[in-house]
């Protein structure tokens, strides 16, 4: 049977204006039905997922609390477990045995240039005066046709997934679907113990850092590690578009890594939004020769039939 990594975008699990557990469960049940084509085609599936809305809710709660603030890496781990648990309940035995959730740590390079140039907005929106009083760096963003400010953190590239051997074991033992890599995984670096730390695989020596990893890059790492045939990135648009947001926008259908690299070089895709998704698709197809699809959950069946979505395959 074909094996696929299904990357569920944060907005496919929780929409703007939603926030309660009941709303998340209802959204996930809807996503489960959209994924019916995978069941009908007997796919072996692993799920990754975003957690941006959930992290935003937790950061807002932190601001309203009088207690000491929790570190961002801990909030990332908490929301991984939260979303994984809710997906377990919503998906149930729809894809085989109940899914196993693996709270995942993802190693990053402490010298990644992203740490010197934070670009990932997270958390609540602020006015200019509110942003000036925050103890962290903020960036200007657009909101409802106006200007607002949000906390900004680094978004380093993932190097490896620390739990990948455990994930492989679950896949090999046919233990049912695996949910892993939530929010790209908790970003960690090798702790410096003064004795060459970083060369050891001893996981005691890893510590979290205040950053956010793009979950699509981590999904690609997992897909390669478990020999997946397909990487399916599900988001809130039905395809990647050229000239997106203009009168001339047009969807990208069947394409190749080289064609997408040309669009990347031309600056066609927004950083922190569509760009990492396209990069993950290109890297996966170039590495394993499989197929990558970018589409919405509602159009997944059509995309699997090559009738919708952005579908990336090797050049002939």
């Amino acid at each position: 049977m074909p094996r696929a990594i299904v990357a569920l975008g944060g907005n496919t699990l929780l929409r703007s204006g939603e926030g309660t557990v009941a709303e998340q469960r209802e959204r996930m049940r809807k996503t489960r039905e959209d994924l019916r084509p995978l069941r009908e085609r007997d796919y072996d599936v692993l799920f990754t997922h975003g957690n941006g809305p959930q992290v935003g809710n937790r950061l807002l709660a932190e601001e309203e609390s009088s207690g000491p603030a929790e570190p961002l890496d801990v909030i990332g781990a908490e929301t991984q477990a939260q979303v994984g648990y809710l997906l377990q309940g919503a998906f149930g035995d729809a894809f085989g045995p109940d899914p196993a959730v693996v709270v995942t740590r993802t190693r990053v390079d402490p010298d990644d240039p992203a740490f010197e140039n934070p670009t990932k907005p997270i958390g609540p929106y602020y006015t200019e005066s509110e942003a000036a009083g925050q103890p962290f760096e903020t960036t200007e963003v657009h909101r409802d046709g106006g200007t607002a400010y949000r906390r900004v953190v680094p978004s380093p590239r993932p190097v490896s997934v620390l739990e990948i051997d455990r994930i492989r074991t679950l896949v090999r033992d046919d233990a049912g679907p695996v949910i892993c890599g939530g929010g790209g995984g908790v970003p960690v670096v090798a702790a410096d113990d003064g004795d060459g730390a970083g060369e050891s695989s001893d996981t005691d020596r890893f510590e979290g850092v205040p950053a956010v990893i793009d979950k699509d890059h981590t999904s690609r790492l997992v897909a390669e590690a478990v020999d997946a045939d397909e990487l399916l990135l599900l988001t809130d648009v039905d395809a990647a578009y050229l000239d997106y947001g203009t009168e001339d926008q047009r969807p990208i259908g069947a394409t190749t890594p080289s064609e997408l690299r040309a669009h990347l070089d031309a600056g066609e895709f927004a950083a922190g939004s569509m760009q990492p998704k396209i990069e993950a698709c290109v890297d996966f197809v170039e590495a394993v020769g499989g197929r990558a699809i970018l589409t919405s959950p509602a159009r997944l069946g059509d995309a699997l039939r090559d009738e919708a979505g952005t579908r990336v395959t090797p050049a002939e």
Side-chain angles (χ1 to χ4, degrees):
M1 67 177 66
R3 177 173 297 153
I5 302 297
V6 184
L8 303 170
N11 288 330
T12 72
L13 306 177
L14 184 65
R15 296 296 179 91
S16 176
E18 299 176 345
T20 69
V21 168
E23 288 169 333
Q24 291 182 70
R25 283 179 166 145
E26 180 58 32
R27 179 67 56 187
M28 291 174 184
R29 283 192 287 267
K30 173 63 168 60
T31 297
R32 178 192 65 198
E33 294 309 306
D34 288 334
L35 299 180
R36 183 183 298 274
L38 296 175
R39 304 197 298 272
E40 295 171 347
R41 290 165 173 76
D42 200 27
Y43 270 78
D44 177 17
V45 293
L46 294 84
F47 296 101
T48 61
H49 62 83
N51 64 348
Q54 290 81 8
V55 168
N57 289 341
R58 282 288 292 109
L59 290 173
L60 182 59
E62 285 287 308
E63 289 198 359
E64 296 173 348
S65 170
S66 59
E70 288 191 348
L72 183 58
D73 61 308
V74 173
I75 290 175
E78 289 176 351
T79 53
Q80 270 199 73
Q82 172 196 344
V83 176
Y85 164 68
L86 293 175
L87 283 171
Q88 275 183 318
F91 285 4
D93 61 359
F95 303 95
D98 286 354
V101 178
V102 180
V103 175
T104 307
R105 294 167 297 169
T106 305
R107 186 173 180 175
V108 299
D109 183 350
D111 295 323
D112 191 303
F115 287 106
E116 298 297 323
N117 182 33
T119 59
K120 182 67 173 179
I122 63 171
Y125 291 86
Y126 303 103
T127 65
E128 184 174 5
S129 60
E130 289 171 337
Q134 299 302 323
F136 43 73
E137 187 173 350
T138 61
T139 188
E140 184 177 307
V141 297
H142 295 289
R143 186 189 190 195
D144 299 330
T147 298
Y149 294 82
R150 296 179 77 188
R151 179 178 178 181
V152 64
V153 298
S155 185
R157 284 284 191 124
V159 174
S160 61
V161 174
L162 296 191
E163 284 72 30
I164 199 62
D165 286 342
R166 294 165 178 82
I167 294 168
R168 284 197 191 103
T169 297
L170 290 168
V171 172
R172 184 191 64 225
D173 294 347
D174 197 22
V178 177
I179 300 171
C180 62
V186 177
V188 298
V189 297
D192 185 6
D193 64 357
D195 187 27
E199 299 301 320
S200 171
S201 61
D202 182 354
T203 54
D204 294 346
R205 294 183 172 182
F206 291 94
E207 58 185 17
V209 292
V212 172
I213 301 171
D214 190 280
K215 68 112 176 39
D216 297 308
H217 286 305
T218 300
S219 300
R220 187 265 304 171
L221 281 181
V222 174
E224 293 178 13
V226 301
D227 298 322
D229 302 289
E230 299 187 24
L231 174 64
L232 310 178
L233 306 184
L234 303 184
T235 185
D236 53 357
V237 293
D238 60 353
Y241 283 75
L242 298 177
D243 297 319
Y244 184 72
T246 73
E247 294 181 354
D248 297 324
Q249 73 174 26
R250 54 203 184 280
I252 302 172
T255 187
T256 64
S258 60
E259 291 173 351
L260 289 180
R261 283 202 182 279
H263 294 315
L264 284 166
D265 291 343
E268 188 68 52
F269 308 110
S273 176
M274 191 56 68
Q275 178 179 317
K277 299 180 188 302
I278 297 298
E279 291 172 339
C281 288
V282 168
D283 290 345
F284 172 74
V285 174
E286 288 183 338
V288 307
R291 177 171 70 162
I293 292 176
L294 191 157
T295 192
S296 63
R299 299 302 306 275
L300 176 59
D302 295 330
L304 292 173
R305 293 190 296 270
D306 289 327
E307 296 173 357
T310 297
R311 308 173 308 279
V312 191
T313 55
E316 295 182 358

